Amino acid sequence: DQQVKQNSPSLSVQEGRISILNCDYTNSMFDYFLWYKKYPAEGPTFLISISSIKDKNEDGRFTVFLNKSAKHLSLHIVPSQPGDSAVYFCLYNQGGKLIFGQGTELSVKP
Amino acid sequence: NAGVMQNPRHLVRRRGQEARLRCSPMKGHSHVYWYRQLPEEGLKFMVYLQKENIIDESGMPKERFSAEFPKEGPSILRIQQVVRGDSAAYFCASSPPDRGIYEQYFGPGTRLTVT
């Protein structure tokens, strides 16, 4: 029972272009989402979050969009840089319990 | 301010042995969370602890696994009589008391291999 779904296991993008990572969720009661980034042999690190009272949150090159009617989030990275190559997780925080998606491995090619 | 510390980083155990994984939260953080990442999967929540209290253990396997966060010292995740299926990366995260429902700060993980 996957409550947060990232259907693309991998994504390859050219440096300087836009990366779009997608995430779907099943529970319309979910109200606070996060994106974390993970490099190999390291723990995940917080990237950006969004509350359901908003439909967009921007932080530098990173923007998260929330479409509540479609139960869909997306993370946009523009411009993409080789250092952005990592696994990106979409998460819901359920009272302190983080519910992770399966992750999307982003590769940004120079 | 040091980050979340986990040790050991790598742990090898034979089937039937015990594994003890340690987590020292960031300074000022009194909430600790443990997650497990099985090969080719995302992270799965195991347990949420405050000092001397288990808040949510809904993700803990019913047998062989236990966790504690004593008043003094690190949080410990203990796995008794390990089996090959316990091989995974175990991550600890911490948060201040009022921020756990927002972001959590993760340690580098302990990679457990059961032979």
Side-chain angles (χ1 to χ4, degrees), chain B residues 54-66:
Chain B
I54 296 175
I55 305 302
D56 182 348
E57 57 181 346
S58 58
M60 287 281 268
K62 294 284 186 283
E63 297 175 348
R64 301 187 298 108
F65 285 71
S66 62

Side-chain angles (χ1 to χ4, degrees), chain A residues 15-59:
Chain A
E15 182 179 5
R17 306 295 289 266
I18 185 170
S19 296
I20 300 176
L21 296 95
N22 293 302
C23 175
D24 298 298
Y25 59 97
T26 57
N27 192 332
S28 56
M29 299 297 290
F30 286 359
D31 57 2
Y32 190 77
F33 298 90
L34 310 96
W35 286 89
Y36 273 65
K37 178 169 76 171
K38 185 181 181 302
Y39 294 114
E42 294 184 14
T45 54
F46 171 75
L47 192 58
I48 193 168
S49 63
I50 189 165
S51 165
S52 61
I53 61 173
K54 295 185 174 183
D55 54 18
K56 175 183 172 181
N57 189 24
E58 193 171 352
D59 184 1

Side-chain angles (χ1 to χ4, degrees), chain B:
Chain B
N1 188 8
V4 178
M5 311 285 285
Q6 289 189 249
N7 68 81
R9 293 292 307 274
H10 301 274
L11 182 61
V12 180
R13 285 287 177 265
R14 295 183 190 276
R15 278 180 296 170
Q17 291 185 317
E18 179 179 287
R20 282 185 179 239
L21 289 65
R22 293 175 188 77
C23 169
S24 296
M26 288 178 69
K27 188 175 179 180
H29 288 193
S30 57
H31 292 207
V32 163
Y33 315 80
W34 285 93
Y35 296 83
R36 176 168 68 172
Q37 185 177 27
L38 294 168
E40 308 300 324
E41 293 188 17
L43 283 76
K44 296 279 197 292
F45 168 82
M46 299 183 75
V47 64
Y48 167 16
L49 307 122
Q50 295 177 14
K51 290 274 187 183
E52 301 183 285
N53 273 319
I54 296 175
I55 305 302
D56 182 348
E57 57 181 346
S58 58
M60 287 281 268
K62 294 284 186 283
E63 297 175 348
R64 301 187 298 108
F65 285 71
S66 62
E68 62 175 3
F69 188 19
K71 188 176 180 182
E72 302 291 337
S75 175
I76 306 285
L77 179 67
R78 182 182 178 210
I79 311 172
Q80 295 178 287
Q81 299 174 321
V82 296
V83 301
R84 288 229 172 98
D86 296 333
S87 294
Y90 292 81
F91 293 95
C92 166
S94 73
S95 72
D98 58 344
R99 297 295 299 175
I101 60 171
Y102 300 106
E103 62 268 19
Q104 298 173 11
Y105 298 85
F106 281 81
T110 293
R111 274 140 191 89
L112 172 65
T113 302
V114 179
T115 61

Side-chain angles (χ1 to χ4, degrees), chain A residues 51-79:
Chain A
S51 165
S52 61
I53 61 173
K54 295 185 174 183
D55 54 18
K56 175 183 172 181
N57 189 24
E58 193 171 352
D59 184 1
R61 296 185 297 114
F62 302 90
T63 303
V64 56
F65 296 92
L66 175 61
N67 183 333
K68 290 184 284 294
S69 60
K71 289 189 256 182
H72 179 83
L73 297 99
S74 61
L75 175 68
H76 293 209
I77 307 173
V78 56

Side-chain angles (χ1 to χ4, degrees), chain A residues 8-13 18-22 86 104-108:
Chain A
S8 298
S10 63
L11 175 68
S12 184
V13 171
I18 185 170
S19 296
I20 300 176
L21 296 95
N22 293 302
T104 297
E105 183 170 8
L106 174 66
S107 175
V108 180

